[in-house]
Amino acid sequence: MEGGLKAWGILLSIVLGVVSNWKQWARGSSPQVPCLFIFGDSVFDNGNNLALDTDVTVDYLPYGVDFPYGSTGRCSNGVNIADAIADLLGFEDYILPFGKGNCREFMGGVNYASGGSGILNTTGYLLGQRYTMDLQLYNHKIIASRIAKELGGADVANKYLGQCIYVVEIGYNDYLNNYYGEGYNSSKIYTPEQFAQLLVQTYETQLERLYNEGARKVAVFGLIRMGCMPAYKNIFGADESSCVDKLNQAAQLFNNKLQKALPKLNASLPGAIFTYINSYEIDSENVTGLGFKFTSTSCCHVPNGEIPCAALTYPCPNRDEHVYWDGAHYTEARARIFAKRAYQRQLPVEAYPYDISGLVKVPLDETDDHCSTWAINNGD
Ligand SMILES: *[C@@H]1O[C@H](CO)[C@@H](O)[C@H](O)[C@H]1NC(C)=O
Ligand SMILES: *[C@@H]1O[C@H](CO)[C@@H](O)[C@H](O)[C@H]1NC(C)=O
Ligand SMILES: *[C@@H]1O[C@H](CO)[C@@H](O)[C@H](O)[C@H]1NC(C)=O
Ligand SMILES: *[C@@H]1O[C@H](CO)[C@@H](O)[C@H](O)[C@H]1NC(C)=O
């Protein structure tokens, strides 16, 4: 009996081995970069919030209805934009959430994104626990030190971390669950201009911290047209054919400042390569010709005034024809097309100075040995 099981086990592992090799052939080759690190909010979250005490978890059907592992905490019927980017970069598996996986799996990258989180610490606090951007960076510091341990030193770890791609999107909740959210006071303290300034300034220091942990190739995503998200059109009373102006204006104000901050950061941080993904522009693409028939309504059933799908309700059957899955997040179909543009822009305005495929190819600055600052600080 036991022998039989063992034989089965061996046979099974041979079969699985063949299958996984075959999968690798089918995908072509190994990933284009050794690692991918993902930061952000619910747009990129792939399960981080499951471990937290929060209202922002989507671990129930119909979420994940088209995902091979079902409901995993992704705000989508299937994959999200971060998953689609991992796919385009040639990663065989999805990048795991922080704290998941075995003791070496973080070598290929980690997804730190957390639904409800923002640039500011107070953002989203009425929703419960979340990994704010500062906490995501703290989690990344832990991973970076484990990578250093794995590779046998900070120097070699920094070289490794410099080859990775970093994708970062955040800021939606600073507006939707802070400035324009009920129960928050920032709109009484700041004008929209001042608030955008505060956000981008804070974001700059956060991106600098990422650089200090070895990041060099960083794709920073701007905000899409928040005012055209079905739930917010409903909540703020925009009609079917229009969007919420003040939310779209806030996104543009933020984007303009962010887009100007990146070349400044690039110039002040030796060897850094920050690139801007123009999400607003990509989101504005006319997708009617790409098979999307429903651009401003949710696919799943979203109760009035809410954002997530109601649990255990039937979603629309024609999910590939919908831009929006729930009240605020794309369907897998839209996420994949969005990711494609970020990876390989169709127009220069969609990503600059590089798209993600270009970012992969930029040679790293050989003179940037990560230790020069330390040496200068020591005065020798
Ligand atoms: C935000 O939180 C982080 C860590 O949780 C802390 O280090 C930082 O000082 C906080 N920022 C502000 C502005 O309170
Ligand atoms: C605004 O709200 C935050 C978070 O609750 C609180 O810490 C802060 O003191 C408030 N500020 C003002 C001016 O009311
Ligand atoms: C970044 O700055 C360096 C100089 O430090 C410059 O050579 C490079 O062209 C800049 N790259 C981008 C993408 O702005
Ligand atoms: C979008 O494209 C479709 C065909 O691809 C066209 O019929 C429609 O007029 C376009 N809409 C806008 C707003 O340009």
Side-chain angles (χ1 to χ4, degrees):
M1 179 78 186
E2 262 198 6
L5 270 182
K6 213 176 232 166
W8 257 114
I10 291 164
L11 184 63
L12 195 62
S13 49
I14 291 167
V15 171
L16 286 179
V18 170
V19 169
S20 74
N21 277 339
W22 172 80
K23 208 171 149 197
Q24 206 147 35
W25 297 330
R27 288 274 189 128
S29 58
S30 52
Q32 298 160 27
V33 286
C35 30
L36 171 64
F37 289 97
I38 297 161
F39 296 81
D41 50 34
S42 56
V43 174
F44 281 2
D45 190 347
N46 68 347
N48 281 298
N49 275 22
L50 298 185
L52 302 178
D53 180 13
T54 171
D55 292 344
V56 194
T57 45
V58 289
D59 55 342
Y60 54 84
L61 285 169
Y63 285 97
V65 63
D66 298 317
F67 195 74
Y69 313 125
S71 309
T72 54
R74 288 167 168 84
C75 283
S76 173
N77 56 310
V79 306
N80 65 27
I81 294 170
D83 296 320
I85 289 171
D87 214 352
L88 290 165
L89 284 169
F91 284 89
E92 193 174 345
D93 290 314
Y94 302 113
I95 304 297
L96 289 171
F98 176 70
K100 285 282 159 61
N102 67 32
C103 52
R104 282 199 92 243
E105 264 173 310
F106 53 80
M107 295 301 290
V110 174
N111 183 330
Y112 304 99
S114 169
S117 71
I119 295 167
L120 303 181
N121 286 352
T122 50
T123 289
Y125 85 97
L126 293 173
L127 300 168
Q129 289 184 330
R130 68 256 168 254
Y131 291 121
T132 64
M133 195 50 163
D134 276 342
L135 288 175
Q136 291 180 38
L137 288 163
Y138 180 80
N139 290 343
H140 181 59
K141 206 180 165 73
I142 295 171
I143 294 293
S145 68
R146 285 173 73 179
I147 288 175
K149 220 173 189 176
E150 192 72 37
L151 295 178
D155 276 9
V156 53
N158 273 331
K159 279 234 154 64
Y160 184 78
L161 288 164
Q163 296 168 31
C164 310
I165 294 288
Y166 297 79
V167 292
V168 191
E169 60 79 26
I170 197 132
Y172 295 104
N173 290 306
D174 293 291
Y175 287 102
L176 302 173
N177 286 294
N178 192 338
Y179 198 80
Y180 290 114
E182 238 172 278
Y184 296 89
N185 58 20
S186 56
S187 63
K188 298 188 187 81
I189 306 172
Y190 304 104
T191 64
E193 169 71 28
Q194 288 168 332
F195 191 66
Q197 188 68 31
L198 172 69
L199 292 182
V200 172
Q201 258 169 15
T202 311
Y203 203 178
E204 276 180 62
T205 64
Q206 290 164 338
L207 291 170
E208 195 168 337
R209 278 175 65 195
L210 188 56
Y211 169 89
N212 288 337
E213 289 301 331
R216 292 297 175 268
K217 298 184 167 187
V218 187
V220 181
F221 288 63
L223 303 180
I224 69 166
R225 299 168 301 164
M226 298 186 278
C228 303
M229 294 173 174
Y232 293 100
K233 286 174 61 161
N234 175 304
I235 290 168
F236 289 91
D239 63 50
E240 180 79 11
S241 62
S242 64
C243 297
V244 185
D245 281 342
K246 69 175 179 186
L247 293 184
N248 282 353
Q249 281 159 15
Q252 283 175 301
L253 195 56
F254 173 86
N255 288 344
N256 280 336
K257 290 187 191 299
L258 177 60
Q259 170 219 180
K260 285 188 192 125
L262 296 184
K264 245 175 46 198
L265 273 178
N266 174 66
S268 66
L269 304 172
I273 311 152
F274 285 96
T275 200
Y276 180 66
I277 306 298
N278 192 346
S279 304
Y280 201 96
E281 182 69 26
I282 299 174
D283 180 57
S284 306
E285 179 183 11
N286 179 357
V287 290
T288 311
L290 298 173
F292 292 93
K293 292 195 180 124
F294 306 93
T295 56
S296 64
T297 52
S298 311
C299 164
C300 73
H301 172 64
V302 177
N304 236 353
E306 295 185 24
I307 289 108
C309 310
L312 304 177
T313 52
Y314 282 105
C316 68
N318 50 342
R319 297 185 273 282
D320 290 354
E321 296 179 349
H322 279 256
V323 165
Y324 278 98
W325 161 245
D326 63 9
H329 305 92
Y330 284 164
T331 54
E332 164 168 342
R334 184 65 182 101
R336 283 203 185 272
I337 286 173
F338 184 100
K340 235 185 232 170
R341 300 282 183 270
Y343 179 74
Q344 195 139 51
R345 63 188 180 192
Q346 276 197 328
L347 303 167
V349 68
E350 290 173 344
Y352 45 85
Y354 306 107
D355 52 26
I356 294 171
S357 69
L359 197 56
V360 170
K361 292 184 203 122
V362 189
L364 286 166
D365 182 356
E366 293 298 330
T367 61
D368 163 35
D369 69 357
H370 296 86
C371 290
S372 51
T373 332
W374 178 82
I376 291 162
N377 285 348
N378 274 284
D380 50 32

